[in-house]
Amino acid sequence: MTLLRKSVQAAKAYLAARGKKILRCGDDGPQAQSSSTPAPDSSVNSEVNTSLMRESGLPGGRMTMSKEVPSKATSSYLAIFAVVGVSSFGLFAAPINAQTSTVTLTEVSAVSPLLVKQPATKEDESIRPFRVDVPEAELVDLRQRLAATRWPERETVTDESQGVQLATMQKLVQYWATDYNWRKVEARLNAQPQFVTTIDGLDIHFIWVRSKNANALPVIITHGWPGSIIEQLKVIGPLTDPTAYGGKVEDAFDVVIPSLPGYGFSGKPTTTGWDPTRIARTWTVLMKRLGYTRFVAQGGDWGNSVTELMALQAPPELLGIHTNMPATVPADVEKALQLGTPPPYALSADEKRAWDQLAFFYKHGLGYAQEMSGRPQTLYALEDSPVGLAAWILDHDASSQALIARVFDGQTEGLTRDDILDNITLYWLSNTAVSSARLYWEYKGGFFDPRNVSIPVAVSAFPDEIYQAPRSWTEKAYPKLIYYNRLPKGGHFAAWEQPEFFSTELRAAFRPLR
């Protein structure tokens, strides 16, 4: 025991020297409210914490349990050190509501895995409250790195044909280093009920906000790259409390927003195999673990791939799906685009616009995807340089990049400077540039090839998406198309950029399935 105690003390001293990142479980924290989203019902956390205090005999209504991990460590905070029985104890398990599993909070000790051999145990299926608390040292380090940026010379052209322009990046970095405040978005995240649960050996982080309407339709919404759960923060209020945003009470949703494996605060896979198909199965497990016997799914970018694969797996609980980046490109059109030959047949006006958008993307916009699908581990610079990471993220698609450039020029757009930097900073602080890129390496299919989804599908086609899917292609791709709409404004990050349109679309799209 003396040796073990010394090992614990040594581990704590090492963490203190390195600078620690604290991700807290079980404390609902200050209920900060963002300017765009009202603070949701956090009764899950408060009920659990009150029960914990009552059972433990401790005063008050809160308990904070902190997990210490190395600076800029993996977001899978429970997996950093071996979980052992020394100084650990089961606290309390209380049902959340009639639809859900029990929530079990367990405190663990951080000791050397060399000292304790773990017996094989059944996977922990508990749902653990989660809180973000980034040490100030991490933010100081970020600002120091930004101030020390070594800039290249400006581009030799007057447009963005050579990539993200120097002027845009310098304006972004100036604001990031001097005026940006991470604590604001940290408070917004902590105002939401956040949880972690382990599925197939990996910690999955998710936001879970339940509507006060008992008949709310559960929906799981999946982000993509270079997005995150921050994309969906603005739509939580309109979806869970539609009457406060001009909707009808019968259009209410329970909203589940998970972080993809290797992204944000979810665990980072340490073995291969975490492709969209596996993630799709995991999402179904998650929704069933939360107690839902019927639900719908939504996604764009990687979220679309995961959502369509959920539909192909056809779990009986899944009623239908909605996508804002559908996979609808006919095989003969795709082949012509890849070969650079003319269209295989006369195109309508909407089809011609989609053709032109795709042709531009295949010629000028695929570089990031090719690198990440072929050599994701090579992207060390993204983990070491915040400016390199920001430029890589900005260069996702031409329309989004142009919008972001306008934002940093001072124009009013669907996104703000803080919106953009909230997302980039999350990637930086969670150290997920490379782990998120590996999803491209794992995936072996086409991005826009129809998958022959046979369950009900709803499509919202935004004009500045990589391509705006024509109705004609969409009807062929989805035999059970229940909703299609072309929006007047919005791009790749639809929920983030146009939350009102996005929320209205989901209400209309899923109305036939209620």
Side-chain angles (χ1 to χ4, degrees):
M1 289 303 294
T2 300
L3 175 61
L4 187 57
R5 189 177 302 108
K6 289 182 178 179
S7 297
V8 173
Q9 293 171 349
K12 290 181 177 178
Y14 171 75
L15 290 170
R18 284 287 302 274
K20 61 187 179 181
K21 176 174 294 184
I22 303 174
L23 306 176
R24 294 178 178 172
C25 284
D27 181 7
D28 52 310
Q31 295 302 304
Q33 183 170 334
S34 74
S35 59
S36 57
T37 306
D41 177 12
S42 57
S43 58
V44 175
N45 284 351
S46 60
E47 290 171 8
V48 170
N49 288 324
T50 301
S51 298
L52 283 168
M53 289 297 156
R54 192 163 52 242
E55 286 295 308
S56 63
L58 296 175
R62 294 175 181 271
M63 174 174 282
T64 300
M65 296 179 289
S66 300
K67 310 298 177 208
E68 299 181 357
V69 299
S71 175
K72 283 185 97 266
T74 167
S75 54
S76 178
Y77 61 95
L78 292 178
I80 299 301
F81 298 106
V83 178
V84 298
V86 180
S87 301
S88 65
F89 54 95
L91 294 177
F92 182 65
I96 295 178
N97 62 24
Q99 299 186 56
T100 62
S101 314
T102 58
V103 172
T104 303
L105 300 179
T106 304
E107 186 168 22
V108 298
S109 300
V111 303
S112 170
L114 299 177
L115 299 178
V116 181
K117 184 176 181 181
Q118 284 296 319
T121 58
K122 183 180 178 182
E123 179 170 281
D124 179 10
E125 297 183 356
S126 64
I127 300 167
R128 309 181 292 278
F130 181 90
R131 178 178 173 80
V132 184
D133 189 1
V134 175
E136 187 63 26
E138 289 286 329
L139 304 178
V140 171
D141 174 73
L142 170 59
R143 289 190 288 269
Q144 290 173 342
R145 289 172 183 262
L146 293 170
T149 299
R150 186 172 70 171
W151 294 103
E153 66 283 351
R154 72 174 299 276
E155 58 280 357
T156 58
V157 294
T158 59
D159 57 22
E160 297 175 338
S161 60
Q162 291 184 352
V164 185
Q165 293 178 299
L166 179 64
T168 298
M169 289 306 303
Q170 289 182 329
K171 292 172 186 174
L172 181 151
V173 170
Q174 173 66 25
Y175 184 79
W176 200 2
T178 59
D179 297 317
Y180 173 71
N181 185 355
W182 163 260
R183 298 302 182 192
K184 290 182 179 180
V185 73
E186 185 175 88
R188 289 177 64 199
L189 287 169
N190 288 333
Q192 311 294 342
Q194 297 178 84
F195 303 91
V196 170
T197 192
T198 305
I199 302 176
D200 202 6
L202 194 71
D203 281 351
I204 301 299
H205 167 262
F206 60 100
I207 295 171
W208 180 23
V209 184
R210 290 167 296 165
S211 173
K212 294 179 180 179
N213 180 0
N215 296 318
L217 178 64
V219 59
I220 182 167
I221 305 177
T222 310
H223 67 83
W225 188 95
S228 67
I229 56 171
I230 287 173
E231 282 184 68
Q232 284 86 29
L233 289 179
K234 296 177 185 178
V235 303
I236 292 174
L239 294 178
T240 58
D241 186 15
T243 56
Y245 295 84
K248 300 178 180 178
V249 66
E250 58 266 28
D251 288 331
F253 292 88
D254 280 5
V255 175
V256 178
I257 306 171
S259 297
L260 288 166
Y263 289 67
F265 302 117
S266 279
K268 298 178 182 180
T270 57
T271 59
T272 61
W274 276 97
D275 60 3
T277 300
R278 186 173 181 180
I279 297 170
R281 290 195 298 267
T282 299
W283 277 195
T284 299
V285 172
L286 173 61
M287 294 301 281
K288 292 170 68 175
R289 185 171 294 179
L290 297 181
Y292 293 123
T293 57
R294 56 192 299 275
F295 59 88
V296 293
Q298 196 286 328
D301 195 88
W302 280 122
N304 172 71
S305 179
V306 170
T307 300
E308 290 200 16
L309 288 165
M310 289 178 71
L312 289 180
Q313 293 164 6
E317 298 85 1
L318 182 60
L319 305 179
I321 66 171
H322 172 273
T323 175
N324 54 284
M325 198 189 84
T328 69
V329 182
D332 51 356
V333 173
E334 173 73 15
K335 182 177 180 180
L337 286 164
Q338 295 284 1
L339 297 176
T341 58
Y345 54 83
L347 303 176
S348 68
D350 289 345
E351 292 169 345
K352 179 62 166 59
R353 185 173 189 274
W355 169 277
D356 291 341
Q357 289 175 308
L358 287 164
F360 178 89
F361 179 70
Y362 285 173
K363 186 176 181 180
H364 302 290
L366 272 175
Y368 74 91
Q370 291 168 339
E371 178 66 18
M372 292 195 290
S373 62
R375 312 286 286 179
Q377 192 64 30
T378 299
L379 300 173
Y380 295 96
L382 305 186
E383 302 285 21
D384 189 59
S385 167
V387 176
L389 173 65
W392 187 258
I393 286 176
L394 261 60
D395 203 12
H396 173 268
D397 68 279
S399 294
S400 297
Q401 180 185 330
L403 181 150
I404 291 169
R406 295 193 299 271
V407 169
F408 282 97
D409 280 339
Q411 298 184 36
T412 301
E413 296 282 353
L415 299 178
T416 67
R417 291 179 298 180
D418 282 356
D419 285 335
I420 295 157
L421 288 172
D422 288 344
N423 184 61
I424 296 171
T425 307
L426 176 59
Y427 271 85
W428 176 257
L429 294 174
S430 61
N431 205 40
T432 51
V434 171
S435 59
S436 62
R438 292 195 189 105
L439 186 54
Y440 285 82
W441 186 90
E442 291 283 357
Y443 184 59
K444 308 305 179 187
F447 287 106
F448 305 126
D449 300 342
R451 296 183 175 91
N452 300 313
V453 174
S454 60
I455 70 171
V457 177
V459 171
S460 297
F462 288 85
D464 292 325
E465 180 55 88
I466 291 175
Y467 82 104
Q468 188 175 29
R471 178 184 286 272
S472 57
W473 295 358
T474 305
E475 290 174 340
K476 293 177 182 176
Y478 305 114
K480 292 187 178 178
L481 185 69
I482 59 172
Y483 180 86
Y484 174 90
N485 190 33
R486 293 170 68 87
L487 281 299
K489 189 174 184 179
H492 186 71
F493 304 98
W496 199 24
E497 179 194 342
Q498 299 295 332
E500 184 176 354
F501 279 146
F502 184 89
S503 302
T504 301
E505 286 295 288
L506 257 64
R507 294 174 196 154
F510 287 127
R511 201 166 286 142
L513 301 181
R514 290 181 180 271

